[in-house]
Amino acid sequence: MPMSRPLNVLFLCTHNSARSILAEAMLNHLGKGRFRAYSAGSSPRPNQQPNPLALRALEAEGIATAGLHSKSWDVFAAPDAPRMDLIITVCDNAAGEVCPVWPGHPATAHWGYPDPSNVEGSEDERLQAFRATLAAIGRRLERLVAQPPEALRPESLAATARALAQEERP
């Protein structure tokens, strides 16, 4: 049975400036209309700006960055927000925080990645950390979008996403 609408996926990280932004842009790039990705954080960056190195890493891979901005996860808990099918935390801080009650009780999973923002060194070394994180996220998302329709049904979506987290540790 084909999906009647895209699968909505929300990526959460504390500041919504690096990993969750990378995941949002990558899934929208790979999803080919079957997925619609969003991102948010519990304590988004001031002035709603993603980390500039995250944007550079995406642009270097030809992935669109227009419209990406840091935002609070409260936006997606509002009654008029898009209904999420899957919520994935991508950093340890967000995984341990108490999340809002999401409308529709979506499936959840945790895909932890080291924070590339914490890497010290030259700008090239820091950019390489963002590119490595983007590549790790991309490998997992490629496996998600390749799943058969039955693995993406509401009753199996959480198990599918959690199994992908176990397949490859960053």
Side-chain angles (χ1 to χ4, degrees), residues 91-116:
C91 62
D92 293 331
N93 293 345
E97 293 181 20
V98 177
C99 294
V101 175
W102 305 104
H105 304 287
T108 61
H110 175 66
W111 295 358
Y113 299 96
D115 188 352

Side-chain angles (χ1 to χ4, degrees), residues 7 9 11 16 34 46 59-60 81 84 89 98 102 141-142 148-149 154 165:
L7 197 73
V9 180
F11 294 97
N16 189 218
R34 290 181 55 220
E59 290 164 353
M84 293 301 143
T89 54
V98 177
W102 305 104
L141 289 174
E142 285 171 350

Side-chain angles (χ1 to χ4, degrees), residues 25-102:
M26 178 62 84
L27 183 55
N28 282 329
H29 179 75
L30 296 173
K32 307 217 185 301
R34 290 181 55 220
F35 295 83
R36 177 68 182 113
Y38 303 87
S39 69
S42 58
S43 301
R45 280 178 66 113
N47 303 318
Q48 299 181 316
Q49 296 301 312
N51 188 303
L53 292 175
L55 298 177
R56 283 183 51 197
L58 290 165
E59 290 164 353
E61 295 299 320
I63 298 171
T65 60
L68 292 175
H69 64 283
S70 301
K71 60 207 139 308
S72 171
W73 62 18
D74 294 337
V75 170
F76 295 100
D80 60 343
R83 191 182 125 258
M84 293 301 143
D85 299 294
L86 176 61
I87 297 177
I88 300 174
T89 54
V90 292
C91 62
D92 293 331
N93 293 345
E97 293 181 20
V98 177
C99 294
V101 175
W102 305 104

